Each structure stands twice: as structure tokens, then as C-alpha cells.
Amino acid sequence: MSPIMAARGQGLGQGQGHQVQQDFDFFLVVDFEATCEKDARIYPQEIIEFPAVLVDGATGLIASAFRRYVRPRHRPVLTQFCRDLTGIRQEDVDGGVDLGEALWLHDAWLKAATAGAGNKGRVRLAVVTWGDWDCRTMLEFECRFKGIEKPSYFDRWVNLRVPFQAALGGGARVNLQEAVRAAGLDWEGRLHCGLDDAHNTARLLAEIMRRGVKITITGSLAPPPPLPIQKQPPRSSPCGGSSAPAPPLIQQQPPHTWPCGGSSAPPLLPAIQQQQLPQRHISPCGGSSVTCLCYCGVATRGGVVPVQANRFFGGGNWTPAMV
């Protein structure tokens, strides 16, 4: 299956008179599906469907969509419960790609889908999810566990539950299907199909924007921990004393270049099984990207974004962008 799926339908429609101007050129709606078992926890849980829907921030129209099935490494055979819940077949994941390649393919798709947009080449992008699980828990854990690098725009996201409650009220326990219906929309597709869930989340996002709610970042991950420092023992001086220790040596890894631009920090934890990605991981067009990822206008080409937030429970209000 092609990694790029045609956007379905005629779009989400133009907003009405009181729709506010959003701070983002595009919203990237994701909804991962993962290995699972009924009434039991699977460890490690692995992503098996990687879908994304790109929404125009000005109109609410779907600009493009993406889906790749991902082959799980630790539990390659899906449970019957997982197949029934998600509709994903064993042959889908058998013919899928590793998570690292799925991330690369997604990033290349995103670069192509947003090419030429934005003000003077600066594209402001925000990831959107229903809940915090997709970015804070699932993708973050699996990438850390497997030593896989991911684009830094996944470190900040919009939990659509927050603007949904601002627009329509309702408790935090409302699920996505209930929220779509509460907004006066009909559910389209199959529940727990990742691409269908992302498509319905995108429609809900457009309806919330139409009601005049400004969409802002609600969750973020803290920057990675500092790199380990190797200390050297004091050196003896020729006159019988000891000199001050030499400056510490810092082990650094070169930044990783993504097709969509910019560089990411080294893996957050030492790789348990380092995934080797194809050489095309550097750039799909054979050269270095002219774009970089920024946050609030601060370029991070090989640097660390100063987000003051707890990795798993903190917040933040940084604006991701591609420059």
C-alpha cells in the first residue's frame, strides 16, 4: 500500500464568520493503533498502524493523509482480540515496515505535503491527538525502548479533549466517538481503525475551530537528560604533586537529519536494540535539507529546545514550526 493516501471527501468546509485565526498553518492529526490483549497488558506494547491526517489551519480542509502498517518486533503475531478490535490483519503487519522506517516515510510525506506553504517558507505545525496517550506514552516509550530517533515535532501536541471541552463542555471521560456525535457530526468509518479515527478527529477539530476556539499546545515532553560525562583521574605533575583534573570529556553523537528539516537529539536512552535505518534516512533527495525545526522562532539545528516541562506529566506552550 502506498504510504500516501488520497484525502477522502470534499473537505471539511469553510469556517463561518466567528472562526478565529489560528496560530498554525497545519494541524497533523495522529491516532496510533498498537498490539493489545483483552483484560491484559502487553509489554512492550508496539505500534502496528501509523496514520496521520494533515488539516489546513485556515480552512479546516484535509490537505493529505498518510498510513503505514508497522511490523511489531517483540510480538509479531497479533492476538485475535487485537485483530477484531482494530480490523488489522496479520498480513498487514507482516508486510509492514519497522517503526523507524515508518517515521522516516511519514516525515518525507509531511515535507512533500507542506512544500511551498507558510509565510516565506516558514510552516507552523502542531500535532493533534485525542488524549495524551499517542505522543506522551506510546510513541515516546517505544522509541526510547528501541533506541529509535523521532522528529521533534512529536514532542509537543494538542490534546483535542481540552478545546472540545471549551467549545462543548462535557466531562473528561467522553470518548472520541461520543465527542464527534456531541458536535453534531456523524461517525465515518470503523472505530479503532487508526486512519478512520484520525479522519474523524480531524473533522471534530475543524468543527471546534468553526465554533471560534483557538487551538493551542496543551502537552509537551521535557528535553532529553544531559549526556554522560567521563571524568579523568588527576594527573601527576613532574615536581611530585598532582595537577587539577583535565576538563571532562563529553560523549556526543552527531545530530540526526530528517527529510522534513532540522535535526534531533541522540536517542533519549541507550539503545537496547539499535535500529539501523536505510541510507536514505539522511535526505530523500540526496542532499541536506534547507529547512530546520524551530520553536517560537528559535532555531534548533542540533540544539535542545528549552521546554520547561516534566517529561510525562508537564505542560508547555511552545509553538512548533518548520522553517
Side-chain angles (χ1 to χ4, degrees):
M1 181 178 294
S2 170
I4 300 178
M5 307 283 293
R8 295 177 293 176
Q10 299 301 313
L12 302 179
Q14 297 287 343
Q16 297 181 356
H18 63 285
Q19 179 179 347
V20 300
Q21 183 176 359
Q22 301 296 333
D23 292 335
F24 300 99
D25 299 307
F26 291 100
F27 295 101
L28 180 67
V29 182
V30 297
D31 193 299
F32 302 122
E33 297 299 325
T35 52
C36 56
E37 178 58 285
K38 185 177 182 180
D39 300 326
R41 299 188 65 177
I42 288 182
Y43 180 86
Q45 197 172 23
E46 298 173 276
I47 292 172
I48 54 177
E49 183 185 359
F50 192 130
V53 174
L54 189 66
V55 176
D56 189 301
T59 66
L61 294 169
I62 293 181
S64 187
F66 169 95
R67 175 164 69 182
R68 270 288 176 169
Y69 290 111
V70 182
R71 184 173 56 252
R73 181 188 303 172
H74 295 276
R75 292 178 180 267
V77 178
L78 302 182
T79 64
Q80 184 65 48
F81 173 78
C82 186
R83 297 197 302 270
D84 292 343
L85 179 71
T86 65
I88 298 174
R89 303 169 302 171
Q90 184 64 44
E91 51 263 39
D92 292 330
V93 294
D94 288 344
V97 298
D98 292 335
L99 178 60
E101 186 174 357
L103 283 163
W104 186 91
L105 291 168
H106 172 271
D107 200 66
W109 160 78
L110 183 59
K111 178 185 178 181
T114 59
N119 182 18
K120 298 180 180 180
R122 185 174 188 268
V123 179
R124 301 168 300 168
L125 175 76
V127 174
V128 176
T129 62
W130 181 257
D132 294 319
W133 177 85
D134 296 270
C135 290
R136 174 170 286 169
T137 303
M138 188 63 241
L139 182 62
E140 172 72 357
F141 166 79
E142 188 171 355
C143 286
R144 285 164 61 98
F145 183 81
K146 294 181 177 179
I148 299 173
E149 297 178 58
K150 62 181 173 67
S152 54
Y153 46 77
F154 282 117
D155 290 342
R156 277 142 292 274
W157 64 90
V158 178
N159 177 353
L160 197 60
R161 288 180 183 271
V162 177
F164 168 78
Q165 291 177 17
L168 293 154
R173 296 183 179 274
V174 174
N175 63 39
L176 176 60
Q177 192 173 47
E178 293 169 341
V180 167
R181 290 171 176 167
L185 305 173
D186 293 327
W187 182 267
E188 296 182 357
R190 176 194 173 104
L191 183 64
H192 297 305
C193 163
L195 186 59
D196 287 347
D197 287 356
H199 177 76
N200 283 285
T201 304
R203 296 171 58 233
L204 179 59
L205 168 66
E207 175 62 21
I208 292 171
M209 290 193 294
R210 189 190 68 80
R211 293 173 181 245
V213 177
K214 195 174 186 68
I215 307 299
T216 60
I217 297 296
T218 64
S220 64
L221 300 175
L227 296 172
I229 297 177
Q230 287 185 338
K231 293 184 178 181
Q232 292 183 337
R235 294 174 294 180
S236 299
S237 91
C239 54
S242 61
S243 61
L249 298 178
I250 300 178
Q251 294 180 326
Q252 293 185 336
Q253 301 178 33
H256 189 82
T257 302
W258 287 96
C260 202
S263 58
S264 61
L268 301 179
L269 289 179
I272 293 178
Q273 290 180 316
Q274 183 66 39
Q275 178 164 327
Q276 298 297 326
L277 297 180
Q279 183 63 31
R280 60 180 179 174
H281 204 92
I282 301 302
S283 172
C285 54
S288 60
S289 174
V290 296
T291 61
C292 69
L293 294 174
C294 335
Y295 300 85
C296 298
V298 180
T300 61
R301 205 185 289 267
V304 177
V305 180
V307 179
Q308 302 300 322
N310 180 276
R311 174 166 297 279
F312 292 104
F313 301 102
N317 195 27
W318 294 90
T319 302
M322 290 177 289
V323 179

